[in-house]
Amino acid sequence: GQQLNQSPQSMFIQEGEDVSMNCTSSSIFNTWLWYKQDPGEGPVLLIALYKAGELTSNGRLTAQFGITRKDSFLNISASIPSDVGIYFCAGLTGTASKLTFGTGTRLQVTL
Amino acid sequence: DADVTQTPRNRITKTGKRIMLECSQTKGHDRMYWYRQDPGLGLRLIYYSFDVKDINKGEISDGYSVSRQAQAKFSLSLESAIPNQTALYFCATSEGRVGYNEKLFFGSGTQLSVL
């Protein structure tokens, strides 16, 4: 099946720093989504991207749909302690309603 | 109250036992999904349903079965649990409309341990 590689696998940053993470695939996707999973909870949708080159923001979060349609990027500016969690990318191709999830990036924020 | 509720939150069982995980939703969504999360592997789809009594296999359906007898409920069963089914299980829902069906709403998860 399709595989999505996320990097980095984990990050330790200080409060106030900016964060960048990405997701790459060997296949083309029509839709990219970014989810965040808080400790002890299920993932929650942060941003959805539907067009190659699209850049979308949600507060301090900005995500981009790569031009090649094989990658996506998520940036978090001025990190705060509540940004801690696991961030998952997910890709969708064709008309299927089955997402392919990435392996996740675990973010830790120190004071 | 949570829109997508999973029960139990935690379960410890022994190899060979039959286990059922329940999921109920108040969002009125047609589509429901069961995912499994393992460290370093992300989320993998087990089964999904687009409507009552509609059942479709996902990426890793072997060893699992599901039932969708009502729009609001989707249960996952392990007929004979084995240790490598130890994982965090998530139920999710989505609308059926184009542009919305990829936006999943997840429950809080069930941590299952098979000894």
Side-chain angles (χ1 to χ4, degrees):
Chain A
Q2 295 169 324
Q3 297 224 345
L4 291 182
N5 299 308
Q6 275 188 254
S7 66
Q9 288 187 346
S10 63
M11 305 179 72
F12 290 82
I13 63 169
Q14 286 194 323
E15 185 177 8
E17 289 184 355
D18 296 342
V19 174
S20 292
M21 60 188 78
N22 67 72
C23 193
T24 59
S25 170
S26 56
S27 305
I28 289 174
F29 287 101
N30 296 330
T31 300
W32 283 96
L33 302 104
W34 285 90
Y35 286 82
K36 183 197 176 194
Q37 182 181 14
D38 288 328
E41 298 296 330
V44 174
L45 181 64
L46 298 174
I47 293 177
L49 303 158
Y50 298 99
K51 191 176 176 181
E54 181 181 353
L55 188 70
T56 297
S57 294
N58 178 5
R60 294 178 296 105
L61 278 62
T62 302
Q64 185 163 23
F65 191 141
I67 291 293
T68 66
R69 308 173 76 97
K70 293 183 178 181
D71 53 12
S72 181
F73 308 87
L74 177 69
N75 296 312
I76 305 172
S77 62
S79 59
I80 59 178
S82 63
D83 290 334
V84 165
I86 303 175
Y87 291 80
F88 290 102
C89 63
L92 181 66
T93 186
T95 58
S97 290
K98 296 170 289 179
L99 295 175
T100 298
F101 279 87
T103 50
T105 293
R106 184 180 294 273
L107 180 63
Q108 302 272 28
V109 180
T110 58
L111 300 176
Chain B
D1 289 339
D3 294 319
V4 183
T5 303
Q6 291 184 235
T7 56
R9 288 297 307 269
N10 291 281
R11 182 72 185 267
I12 300 173
T13 191
K14 294 183 178 180
T15 297
K17 294 290 187 180
R18 184 177 187 274
I19 294 296
M20 180 180 287
L21 308 183
E22 307 272 8
C23 177
S24 62
Q25 52 119 345
T26 58
K27 300 189 75 66
H29 289 169
D30 292 327
R31 302 186 175 195
M32 298 187 75
Y33 311 78
W34 275 105
Y35 283 89
R36 167 178 172 160
Q37 183 179 13
D38 297 276
L41 294 180
L43 291 154
R44 293 181 292 168
L45 183 64
I46 305 173
Y47 271 98
Y48 63 102
S49 169
F50 285 173
D51 204 346
V52 175
K53 298 194 178 173
D54 174 65
I55 302 295
N56 303 281
K57 291 183 177 181
E59 181 186 352
I60 53 165
S61 59
D62 288 348
Y64 302 94
S65 63
V66 291
S67 175
R68 182 92 185 271
Q69 297 296 321
Q71 189 206 38
K73 297 184 182 295
F74 193 34
S75 61
L76 175 72
S77 293
L78 287 68
E79 297 301 325
S80 180
I82 56 177
N84 75 2
Q85 290 178 313
T86 293
L88 183 57
Y89 290 84
F90 285 105
C91 174
T93 72
S94 72
E95 292 187 56
R97 291 187 290 160
V98 172
Y100 290 86
N101 57 51
E102 69 279 4
K103 296 178 180 175
L104 300 181
F105 293 84
F106 286 87
S108 297
T110 295
Q111 178 62 57
L112 176 66
S113 298
V114 183
L115 305 179

